[in-house]
Each structure stands twice: as C-alpha cells, then as structure tokens.
Amino acid sequence: MRGRGAQAVDRETRSGVAAEARLGRPSGASAPTGSWLLRGNDDRLSVYALVEAGVHRWTETAVGSGRFDGPDLFPVEGLTSLAVAQGANRYAHFLGRRERSGGGGPKTDLVYAVQYQTGRTLGDWRSLGNPFRDPRDAASLGAPTAAVDGQGTVHVFVSGGPGGVMLRREARSGAWEAWKDLRGGVVAGGLSAAANSAGLVELLAPGHRSVMRWVQTEPGADLRRAQDLTPAPAPGSAALLETAPGVFTAYWSEQSGTGVYAQRPGEWAFPAGGAPGEGPHATLRAAVDGYDCTVLAHQGRTGTAVLGVCGTGAESGGLWWTDTGVDCAGTPALALDGHGRIVMAVVAADGAVLVNRQRPEPGLTLADWERLSGS
C-alpha cells in the first residue's frame, strides 16, 4: 500500500516439511467458498478446508496467538464442494454438495451441519435434499452458498437444472422450508451471499451478460430481484462487502479481463484495477494506520495470491495491489484476529494450508507464511 499509508506485502515464505494428516496421508485440502477463516465467539480463529474424507479444522490455541491446533477431521463422504457461513452469533454453518453412488446411479444432494462454539465438534450432518427432481437436473446441482440473517435464519442458495437460483431456508421453528425458485437467468459459476449489519440478506449470481442481484428489504421478507450489475462478469467472480451501515458494495471480475469492478446501489460501476484469475474475491474491512480500509484478496492471473487495499468507499481511485508470490488453489480467505490484525489464509497448489498475519508495525505488512500441521 505504498503511497497510501501502508507498506507492501512481504513475499517471504517460511519453509516447512509437509506433515501427515490423521488418515496417514497428505490431506490434499481445497478451499471452501465463502469465508473459511472465521473468528468464533471466544475471538479465536478457525480455519476450515475440504479434504477427501470430509472437513478439516484448525483452531487457534489462544486469542491472536498465531498458533493452531489440528487438524480435526469431521467425516462426510462424497463432498465435492463446501461453503461456510457465519451469523451474528458467530455460529459456523456448513453446506456441502454431496455425490453418492446408489442402485439407481449417482445421487446428488446438499448436506448441512453447524458448529456452535469454537473448537467444539460439529453437529450431525443432515441432508437438505435436491431442489430438482429430474435426474439430469439433479446431477447438475451447483455449489451452494449461504447467509444467516439477523434473526439467525440460514438461507441456502444453489443453482443448476434449468437455470436460475433456488432458495431453501430454516424456519424459526428450526424446521426447513420447502425449496423456492428465485428464477433469474442461467448462472455462470458460483453464487455469493451475505447479510449486512441490519440482518438483511443479499445475493449475487454471475450470469453470462451481467451479475444478477437479489435483496431482502426488511427482516424475514422474501428476497426480490434487483437491478443487474454490469459489465459482464467472469464466471463465479462476484463478492459482497458492507462498506457503509446497511450498504453492500459488490465486487466482480470483468469478463474480458480488464480487472475488478465495484458498485454500490445508486452508483455506476467503476474499475478498481487488478489482474484476477478465476474465482471470487475475499473481502474484509479493517483499520490500517487508523484508516478505514477495504481489503480484497483473490487468485491472480498467474496463480498466486494477490492482495489489494484502498480506503473504504474510495475504490474509484483504484486499489493498491500486491502479489504475495505464493501459489494458491482457489480463493484466499481474510479475517481479523482477536487483536484486530489482518489474517490471510490460502490453500497452496500442493494442498497445504498456509496462514499469514499482519505484522505489528505501521502499514499492511504480512509476516512469514506458516504451514498448518497435517496439510
């Protein structure tokens, strides 16, 4: 962030020998969607990754310590994707797309589990079914995403089948409502959902020509279709960040490769620079040198993790982008630790999970990368 009150990101990577996972082999982790680096209700961080046997979790040993225990394995067979969401109470909600073989051929459904406290076990995995009955449509079920509104209601979104977006949400009684068709056009890549500080949910769905958008205007209300966002997005590249009370800024990569665009309601979309590769952006608001800043992270065009920062609300002036030099697979994750420091996690190309933390010095400078054990 040179010239903007912060320093560039350190590119050094701490070497380490790959540890063996509890199954006696490398975990071969992959990055979930959503924010897979979460701060729990006791202010410790947890890191989650999708592995062949289920979900791995590493938990910070103490608030802001930078040291992690784990991995703990939560078995679930057949997961092809994993999304993690967190509500205001900091419960962690897990949604997975699962494929199983049966007598009638492969069966695809969504499964759900919840973790109530940091470092504790997950509840039982339960099936949320599949919104599509036709076997071909059911097999085309996309990767889910989720958001938790201010009332603690989990909203699960998924695309597939004939196109559009399907929603299933948890009722106040704890039972799950029936699937609802939000319609819309064909979705290109993953969805992105979040709830703002007022507890209202918003959803972005990249299409072939625009980013489709749904909003919730009052607590408990149905989501309604809002104005699409243009220019055309790269598949699955949309993300949300609350940049003012109750106001989301949408970020996405432009389809032809001109970089990241940002847009707030009632404003035109504006370019924010960068050279993103595939996938969405991790987003975070953080104080850097006493300034309210927006931080973005993504997999760059060359396959390395890239970090961008600007003053919140000042994206039109461009972000200061820094390449960490660390190869990553999938989207990085960002969070604030219990001391307010920026923490970044990536899944490396070899499946190792790496974590880095802001140095306690002026500017935004990361320390050395730490390889989590068992990854």
Side-chain angles (χ1 to χ4, degrees), residues 183-262:
R183 301 188 184 279
V186 174
V187 176
L191 309 169
S192 179
N196 61 26
S197 56
L200 303 178
V201 173
E202 187 162 326
L203 170 70
L204 298 179
H208 293 299
R209 297 183 180 181
S210 65
V211 180
M212 295 173 282
R213 180 168 163 254
W214 287 261
V215 298
Q216 191 180 41
T217 56
E218 59 184 45
D222 291 337
L223 275 80
R224 63 174 181 83
R225 184 78 180 270
Q227 185 176 2
D228 287 6
L229 309 177
T230 56
S237 64
L240 291 162
L241 178 67
E242 188 175 12
T243 52
V247 178
F248 277 120
T249 298
Y251 302 92
W252 70 97
S253 305
E254 196 272 331
Q255 196 175 85
S256 64
T258 59
V260 179
Y261 274 72

Side-chain angles (χ1 to χ4, degrees), residues 5-6 38 50 52 106 108 120 136 165 171 173 217-218 279 286-287 303 308 317 325 333-334 347 354 365 372:
L38 300 180
L50 176 63
E52 184 178 351
T108 305
R120 299 295 181 89
R136 291 185 180 181
V165 178
S173 65
T217 56
E218 59 184 45
L334 295 170
V347 175
L354 308 177
T365 305
L372 297 188

Side-chain angles (χ1 to χ4, degrees), residues 99-108:
E99 291 183 355
R100 294 176 295 169
S101 298
K107 296 181 180 180
T108 305

Side-chain angles (χ1 to χ4, degrees), residues 25-160:
R25 53 178 173 75
S27 67
S30 60
T33 57
S35 184
W36 48 277
L37 172 66
L38 300 180
R39 195 169 83 223
N41 40 30
D42 65 354
D43 279 340
R44 288 186 296 158
L45 293 173
S46 296
V47 182
Y48 304 93
L50 176 63
V51 295
E52 184 178 351
V55 179
H56 267 173
R57 182 193 66 197
W58 294 262
T59 306
E60 203 172 24
T61 57
V63 176
S65 69
R67 296 183 295 275
F68 290 83
D69 283 337
D72 298 312
L73 173 66
F74 301 104
V76 55
E77 294 184 1
L79 285 190
T80 62
S81 67
L82 177 71
V84 188
Q86 190 176 40
N89 55 17
R90 298 191 182 176
Y91 298 166
H93 302 268
F94 301 85
L95 280 302
R97 180 188 183 277
R98 178 174 65 177
E99 291 183 355
R100 294 176 295 169
S101 298
K107 296 181 180 180
T108 305
D109 67 349
L110 298 183
V111 289
Y112 168 77
V114 60
Q115 174 191 293
Y116 295 105
Q117 291 183 300
T118 307
R120 299 295 181 89
T121 189
L122 272 64
D124 293 337
W125 291 91
R126 58 169 297 180
S127 176
L128 297 183
N130 190 315
F132 307 112
R133 294 186 178 182
D134 180 87
R136 291 185 180 181
D137 290 343
S140 72
L141 188 72
T145 193
V148 186
D149 71 13
Q151 300 172 317
T153 300
V154 182
H155 292 62
V156 177
F157 303 95
V158 70
S159 62

Side-chain angles (χ1 to χ4, degrees), residues 304-331:
T304 55
V306 177
L307 195 66
V309 63
C310 70
T312 297
E315 296 92 344
S316 59
L319 279 76
W320 186 265
W321 296 98
T322 304
D323 191 333
T324 67
V326 174
D327 289 329
C328 68
T331 304

